[in-house]
Each structure stands twice: as structure tokens, then as C-alpha cells.
Amino acid sequence: MEHVNAASAQELEQTLLTCLRSHRWSRRVAEHRPYPDLASLLAAADEAAYDLAWGDLTEALAAEPLPVLPPDTYAAAHTALSAAHAAYEARFGHVFVTCLDGLTPNEVLDHILEAVRSRLTNDPEEERAVVADELRRLAKERLVDALRGAGNGAIDHNEPAPGR
């Protein structure tokens, strides 16, 4: 946590933006330092994500990449996934997001297709709530991964990441 607490506001905000592309979220998390431990940082990140308005979520959605399928996935699967994403974007006007933590590479395609199909039945307000939750989960997962990658000792590498 020393790295997080000692970083300049700008440096930390840039790191946080790799977790969730919302300037409001990254500023809010950075402003609430110092964090005594990882649990406190993740709780602050969660709280900041819950407080995002739809405009903030739209900003984050605009930067979200499509999930990457395993390299040996059949072409038909790529076609099915492309069609599902297109149907979702046509219905809701933004990219589909889902947190894939805890899934094996072999489970990713089925999970994404099942999630897109089930969420296409949501009304727009219901889907906004789901999207907000998925972005919050993605941000926490990415934040843990960023801290692991920093090699700063903020995480016990023998412990599973939260939510995994």
C-alpha cells in the first residue's frame, strides 16, 4: 500500500484509469488516501463506483474492450459472439460488459453468450443497474491485478484475489 499512498495524485489516477475509465471514480479513490490496507482501498473503490452517475458509466463503457476469446476458438463462435454483441449494442447503445473473474478460458465463450442473451431481455433501466455492477466488479478485479503487477507487496500473493 506504500506505493498507492506515496504516488502523486496524477500518477495514481492514471493507474486507476486502467482499472475503470472514469475520471470521477479515479479522482475520488485517489483523494481518499492514505489507505491502511488493501481491504480499505477496495472498499473505497467500491463506494466510489456505486456513486457514479450514468454519464460516468458511459465514459467507462466507451473504453471497455470486448472480451478476448481463447486463440483456439472456432470461427463460428467468433461469429456468434459478434452477432450477440451487435444485438446488445443495438438494443442498449453501448458495449456489453461482464466480469469474467473465476472462469477458465474454456468457460468464457459460453458465459458471455449466455449473459448477453439473458440481459437482452432487460429493460434499459434494469440493464443500467447490471452494467454498473459489472463495471464495479471489473474495476476491483483490475485494481487487485494492478497492485499485483506493481510488485509492491500490497497483496499476499499466496491468497486468492478477492472475488475469484
Side-chain angles (χ1 to χ4, degrees), residues 47-145:
E47 183 181 331
Y50 278 120
D51 290 341
L52 295 178
W54 183 245
D56 302 312
L57 295 172
T58 301
E59 175 188 29
L61 284 168
E64 280 298 315
L66 293 177
V68 177
L69 295 178
D72 60 345
T73 304
Y74 293 107
H78 285 280
T79 302
L81 187 58
S82 294
H85 281 291
Y88 181 91
E89 288 185 40
R91 172 137 169 76
F92 296 110
H94 56 78
V95 297
F96 174 80
V97 292
T98 189
C99 187
L100 301 173
D101 63 332
L103 298 177
T104 66
N106 293 336
E107 298 171 314
V108 169
L109 177 64
D110 289 339
H111 174 82
I112 294 170
L113 288 173
E114 179 182 324
V116 170
R117 289 179 184 137
S118 70
R119 287 169 51 187
L120 279 170
T121 63
N122 289 347
D123 65 57
E125 280 302 309
E126 191 176 28
E127 185 58 17
R128 282 182 177 192
V130 173
V131 165
D133 188 52
E134 292 298 323
L135 285 171
R136 181 186 57 77
R137 291 177 60 210
L138 283 166
K140 283 177 63 176
E141 178 185 355
R142 291 170 180 162
L143 184 53
V144 169
D145 288 346

Side-chain angles (χ1 to χ4, degrees), residues 9-30 52 56 59-61 63-65 135 138-139 142-143 146:
Q10 183 179 7
E11 179 185 20
L12 182 56
E13 286 179 30
Q14 289 304 308
T15 298
L16 291 168
L17 285 170
T18 67
C19 302
L20 183 67
R21 195 79 179 155
S22 164
H23 287 85
R24 181 173 178 223
W25 178 82
S26 66
R27 274 192 305 275
R28 187 154 176 220
V29 173
L52 295 178
D56 302 312
E59 175 188 29
L61 284 168
E64 280 298 315
L135 285 171
L138 283 166
R142 291 170 180 162
L143 184 53

